[in-house]
Amino acid sequence: YGVGARSEEKGRTGFAHLFEHMMFQGSANAPKGQHFKLVESNGGTLNGSTHPDFTDYFEVLPSNKLAVGLWLESDRMRSLAINQENLANQKDAVKQERRLNFDNQPYNTAIVDRWPLLAFRNWQNSHSLIGSFEDLDAASVEDVARFFKTFYAPNNAILVLAGDLDPAEAKRLVATYFGDIPSQPQPQHPDLSEPAEGAGRSEVYRDPLAQVPAVVIGYPGPARRSPDYYALGMLDVLLTGGESSRFQQNLVKGKQSVIQYQADLGWPFAGVGDYKDPGQYAIFLLHNPAFKGAEIVQQVQEEIARVQRDGVEDKDLNRVKTFFRAATISRLQGSMQRARQLGQYELLDGNPDFINTEMASFLAVTPAEVQAAARKYCAPERRSILEIVPAPPAEKPEK
C-alpha cells in the first residue's frame, strides 16, 4: 500500500506501523486469528512490514492455494474489523514491540528517534518511524477508520503474484475477489521536500544500554534513479561490500578501529531498492573503544577522500560490479524477493520492468562517475554525525 511513516500527520506518529498490526485483527468473513490459521494450516507463511513510503503484506503459499491468499487479502481490504477492542490491544502490542525492540536494545532508540532529527529538517521525514506512546494513546477508532478509508483502497495498492501459477487463471481470481471493491479519492501525500541544504549537524547520545561506542555518519543523497543514485550505490559497495571492501580491509583489519558496520542509501529505514528521495547515504559503525568517535569519522572521511582525490581503478570497480551482480542475482532467486521487488518498482517508479533492466544501470557506472558522486555528495561540510557513547547504567537516555 502507498502509505508509510512519512505519510503520517503531526500528533499521529506511529500510525502506519499501528495499522500494520490492525490489518491482522480480522475482517468480515475472516474473524480474528483466521488469517494466520488459514495460511499456516495450508503450509504457508505471512507477515507485514512498515517502511517510510509504503507498507507491505505477504503470504507465501503452495501454488494451488493462491485463491486462499487472494480471498484473505481482499476481505481485509474490503472490510477490516476496526473497533475499540482491536485498537486497544494493538496499541498495547505496538508499545510492547517498541519496549522490546527499541527502548530495551542498545543503539536502536538513538537510530530510530535521534538520527532522523539530525538527518532531516522536514518533519515528515524526521519524526520517529515507530511513533510515540503519547500519539498512540491519542489515536481513536474514528482516526483509524479514516486512515483505512484514505490509504487502504485498491487505487492506492499494488498486488504482486509471483511463482508457479497460470497468469490467465490468476487474473480471473484477482478480478473475482477484488473487482468490486470501490476505489476512494486518491490520497493527498505530504510534501517531503527538504529545505535548501545547510551545514551538517552533530550530536552525542548517551546510551546506558550500549557496551561499546558507535558512530552514524550521513550525507544528503541523490534523487532515485538519477545517474548519481547509481554512482553512489557503487561507491557504497566499494566502501562496504564484502570482505574485499575498503572499510573491511582498512578499518576492520588494518587499523582495527571498527568492529562492524552497515551502510546504504536510505539507511536505517530503507535499502537501495526502496530508497526514495529525500534520503541519506548513511553509515553506522560500531567501533573499538580505544578510538574516539571523532577519529572514526576522520578515518571514514579519509577513505572517501581517497576516492575523491585518486578516483577508482578499473580493476577495483570491476570487483565491485562482480560483487553487486552476484548479490543482486542471489536476491532474485526466490519468488518472495521477486514479488517484493516488483511491487516496489511499480509503487515507487511505475515500472516493474526495472527488475529486468536496473542492474545494467548500476553496472554501467564508470570510475569517473563514482569519483564525481563522492565529491558531490560526501563532502565533510554536508555530513551529519551522531555519536552513541556508553553511559553509566544509572543514567537514562537523553531524548
Side-chain angles (χ1 to χ4, degrees), residues 325-336:
R325 184 173 182 272
T328 301
I329 292 172
S330 177
R331 281 197 303 271
L332 292 174
Q333 294 303 299
S335 296
M336 177 63 201

Side-chain angles (χ1 to χ4, degrees), residues 76-93:
R76 63 179 174 180
M77 179 188 284
R78 179 194 310 276
S79 57
L80 187 68
I82 300 174
N83 54 54
Q84 187 60 48
E85 179 186 358
N86 286 345
L87 177 58
N89 66 41
Q90 289 315 296
K91 284 182 181 180
D92 289 340

